[in-house]
Structures are given as C-alpha cells and as structure tokens.
Amino acid sequence: MKAVVLAGGEATRLRPLTCNIAKTMVPVLNHAFLEHVFGYLKKHNVSDVILALGRQSDQLQSYFGDGSDFDIKIVYSVEDFPMGTAGAVKNAERFLDSSFIVFNGDVFTDIDVTAMMNLHQEKKASVSIALTLVENPTIYGVVETDEKGRVKRFIEKPSWDKVTTNMINAGIYILEPGILNYIAPEAFSMFEHDVFPALLDKGDAIFGYSSDAYWIDIGTPEKYLRLNHDLLHRHISDEGVRFEGESVIHPAAQIEGPVIIGEGSFVGKNSIIKGPTVMGARCRVEEFAFIEGSVLWQNCRVGKEARLRNCVVASNCHIGDEAEVLDNCVLGDNVRIGNGNKLAKGIRIWPNKAIEPSAISF
C-alpha cells in the first residue's frame, strides 16, 4: 500500500522555527521530523511514499532524494499553489491506482495503521478515518460515529456547546482510488470540508478507527517541545545520555538524562545539563551554564552562567554570559541574546535578531 504524506503547509503557527526550514524538516531528537514519519510507516510495511509538497519543496527533495538512504521509495508531487488536503492528493492522482493511505506530515503517532487497514477491508469502506481522543476538541475536527463505527457527521472546530464527542480526526485516512473522482482537479479542496461531508450525504461507507494510542501534531512550538520531551523519556532512561559522535565534556560538568548531545559539542567546567534536553551538533556550553528541558539545534553557543529552561533554540544562536531564556521562549535561527539579558514567558524571537542587554527584561 502506498502513502501520500501531506507536507505542503505553510507552518505559520510553528514560526519562528519554520522561517527558514519546512515544518517536516524541523529536527526531532536531532533528525528531521519526516524521518520519524517514514520509520512509522515502514513498521506497517508501507515503503512507497508520495510526498505532496508546496513551499520549500527543493529543501525536502535535496535532503531525501529518492528515499534510498532512508530505506523507502519516494516520489514527489509538487503544487504550484496551495491546494488543501484533498487538492494535494488529487494532484498526486497519477501515482494512485489502489487503496492508499493519506498521512498529515505534521503528526506523530503510534496508531496501529495495520489494524486500521484490516478494518477498512473488513467493512468494505470507501473511506476510513483514524480517530483519537483529545481533551479539547474545539480546535480540531470532531467526528461522530454510531455503535458500529460508521461516521454519522463531521463538526469542524465546534464550540463547547456543540461538542458531542472528544474523538477527533487524527489526520490519517485510508481511501479507495474512486474517491479521487469527487475532487475537482487544479483547485483548492479540503477533505474535512469539501469531500467527506459530501460523501456522507451521498451514502458512502465512511468508518472511523478509534484509538487511544499516542498522538500529537507539531503545529506549535509548545507541542514541538513536548514531542521531543516525550520521545526522550521513551527512548532514553532518566539516567541516560546519548552521544552522537565525539564531543568534549569537562570532568566537572554534570549531565542528568535523558539527554542527547550532537557530534562535535563542548560542555564546559561546572556546567549543568538536565533532561529532557536535546543538543544538536557543534553546540558549545560554557562553564557554569545551566540547561534544563530544552531543545537546541546545531551550532549554538551558551555563555558562562547562562540559563536555559524549557525553551527551543534554533541553529546558530548565541546566548550571552549570564543571559536567561526560559519557559517556552523560542529563538529562530541566528539570534543573538546579549550578556545578562533575560527572556521569559513564551517570547518568540524571529531569525537574525540581536537582543541587547535590557532590550527585553523581566
């Protein structure tokens, strides 16, 4: 079975991390997010992928090529303009001649798509939709089903007074190729608004596959940070430290897992790194610095006695001596935080900015 991975979104909510890089390329545990998606698909014997791309398509094609380096076969379907979830799949129609999976490229999940395939075939469904339980369904698309799992109706981002279920559309579909006949070519179209409700009115068999497996989208920096934390706890013990190549760690430095440290990094005397933390390649942490619960991309410098806590720092950033970057702050690429400056409470700094002392202080 083939999978169409939707990777053409603008990723505006994830900025400033996506100002210079596609959302599916942001590093998770120091590997492009899409690599994790490919690993998930391969676990379910899906090795043929159509990447539906828009903005920054050259970036992904250059990195992934034909997929052979990642033990997967990739072909590309590039949009000339934003086409929506259904329009993007229609644009890839030439590659699709049998049942296929559609997978939102900003989702990380453990949903058992093999079991979902089996249910799709058993029910002889035209469409199967993965459903997941969330605490706040008002920011997603709610899907109502009957006792046999057949979809009754869709409610897109309902207000609380209209919420009848906490089961939402998880962004994974199994479709029969005949569904493509109901999508207009060369036009913007959304499965959630334009295709599925129309099929439901027509009486097509649409089934939900409910799951309580792990599911998260990386649409915001807060969720991106949470995914890194969750995977660190999953793959590395609380005492564990993973070194990706050679690095220099001062004997007087303290590192408490789970932590990943990229190749060519330096951790100075009396500095402290507490997990869950990810450091990319060629990062430098000076003496008496403190880092906890943070994600640093590559080529970052953390100055003497600087403090980082629960923040995301993109590539080539410089954190000055005694500076602080705390509590869901997000720095884009090439940001410089001056000595002694203090950032807190979710501040986002766009790429190539220099924040001098006292420019932002708490």
Side-chain angles (χ1 to χ4, degrees):
M1 190 172 285
K2 296 178 180 179
V4 179
V5 177
L6 303 176
E10 293 293 321
T12 54
R13 292 184 301 145
L14 196 53
R15 291 177 183 169
L17 298 177
T18 49
C19 289
N20 298 324
I21 191 172
K23 176 163 57 173
T24 50
M25 290 290 292
V26 296
V28 172
L29 304 192
N30 285 343
H31 293 271
F33 177 74
L34 206 50
E35 292 184 49
H36 298 275
V37 174
F38 292 161
Y40 164 80
L41 291 172
K42 287 190 294 183
K43 286 181 182 177
H44 295 281
N45 298 313
V46 178
S47 57
D48 286 348
V49 171
I50 300 103
L51 273 184
L53 305 179
R55 176 176 172 263
Q56 298 170 316
S57 60
D58 291 348
Q59 203 175 82
L60 277 82
Q61 292 187 58
S62 175
Y63 186 86
F64 289 106
D66 64 2
S68 55
D69 289 345
F70 302 89
D71 194 27
I72 202 163
K73 180 182 177 182
I74 301 174
V75 295
Y76 296 90
S77 175
V78 181
E79 306 167 13
D80 294 328
F81 58 91
M83 302 185 75
T85 53
V89 174
K90 180 69 173 181
N91 195 48
E93 184 173 14
R94 63 194 180 278
F95 301 117
L96 303 169
D97 54 7
S98 60
S99 304
F100 62 94
I101 302 167
V102 176
F103 197 94
N104 278 358
D106 60 357
V107 165
F108 185 97
T109 186
D110 292 330
I111 288 173
D112 188 345
V113 77
T114 299
M116 183 178 169
M117 291 177 198
N118 294 337
L119 182 68
H120 178 83
Q121 294 168 345
E122 176 189 326
K123 298 290 187 180
K124 296 181 172 57
S126 297
V127 177
S128 294
I129 303 173
L131 308 178
T132 190
L133 189 69
V134 296
E135 291 183 5
N136 179 9
T138 63
I139 59 175
Y140 297 102
V142 169
V143 183
E144 288 185 358
T145 59
D146 63 19
E147 66 278 0
K148 295 183 178 180
R150 189 157 181 160
V151 174
K152 294 163 56 181
R153 67 169 177 158
F154 301 92
I155 312 172
E156 190 66 19
K157 298 182 179 178
S159 57
W160 276 112
D161 61 319
K162 294 182 179 179
V163 170
T164 57
T165 175
N166 281 40
M167 298 303 295
I168 68 158
N169 178 347
I172 305 172
Y173 316 128
I174 298 177
L175 305 180
E176 293 303 307
I179 298 302
L180 298 172
N181 296 327
Y182 297 92
I183 306 172
E186 297 295 323
F188 182 91
S189 179
M190 298 291 288
F191 282 118
E192 303 85 342
H193 300 290
D194 306 312
V195 180
F196 293 159
L199 290 172
L200 203 60
D201 291 341
K202 182 174 166 288
D204 273 34
I206 303 179
F207 281 85
Y209 176 78
S210 300
S211 174
D212 59 359
Y214 183 90
W215 181 92
I216 191 171
D217 72 88
I218 60 164
T220 65
E222 293 77 16
K223 290 179 179 177
Y224 167 76
L225 182 61
R226 188 193 314 162
L227 175 60
N228 277 275
H229 286 182
D230 290 347
L231 293 184
L232 278 165
H233 284 299
R234 177 185 295 192
H235 296 299
I236 302 176
S237 69
D238 288 346
E239 297 78 30
V241 180
R242 179 191 297 171
F243 291 96
E244 297 181 328
E246 294 185 5
S247 290
V248 176
I249 311 297
H250 194 282
Q254 299 179 45
I255 304 177
E256 301 176 16
V259 169
I260 292 176
I261 296 178
E263 184 176 12
S265 293
F266 171 85
V267 180
K269 179 181 179 181
N270 294 320
S271 58
I272 298 174
I273 300 176
K274 289 188 175 183
T277 288
V278 181
M279 284 174 47
R282 300 175 300 280
C283 287
R284 184 176 182 88
V285 180
E286 304 292 357
E287 61 185 26
F288 291 99
F290 176 88
I291 301 173
E292 180 178 15
S294 299
V295 174
L296 286 71
W297 294 7
Q298 60 186 8
N299 299 318
C300 293
R301 178 188 181 273
V302 180
K304 296 178 181 179
E305 299 185 47
R307 296 181 68 230
L308 276 62
R309 183 181 67 214
N310 297 328
C311 63
V312 181
V313 179
S315 298
N316 306 309
C317 289
H318 178 105
I319 313 299
D321 297 347
E322 300 181 17
E324 294 184 356
V325 183
L326 310 175
D327 302 330
N328 292 314
C329 281
V330 184
L331 309 186
D333 295 326
N334 305 301
V335 168
R336 182 183 180 89
I337 306 298
N339 294 346
N341 222 66
K342 302 184 188 300
L343 309 183
K345 300 179 182 177
I347 290 174
R348 299 189 187 190
I349 308 295
W350 255 239
N352 307 310
K353 300 292 184 182
I355 308 300
E356 298 304 329
S358 301
I360 302 177
S361 186
F362 296 87

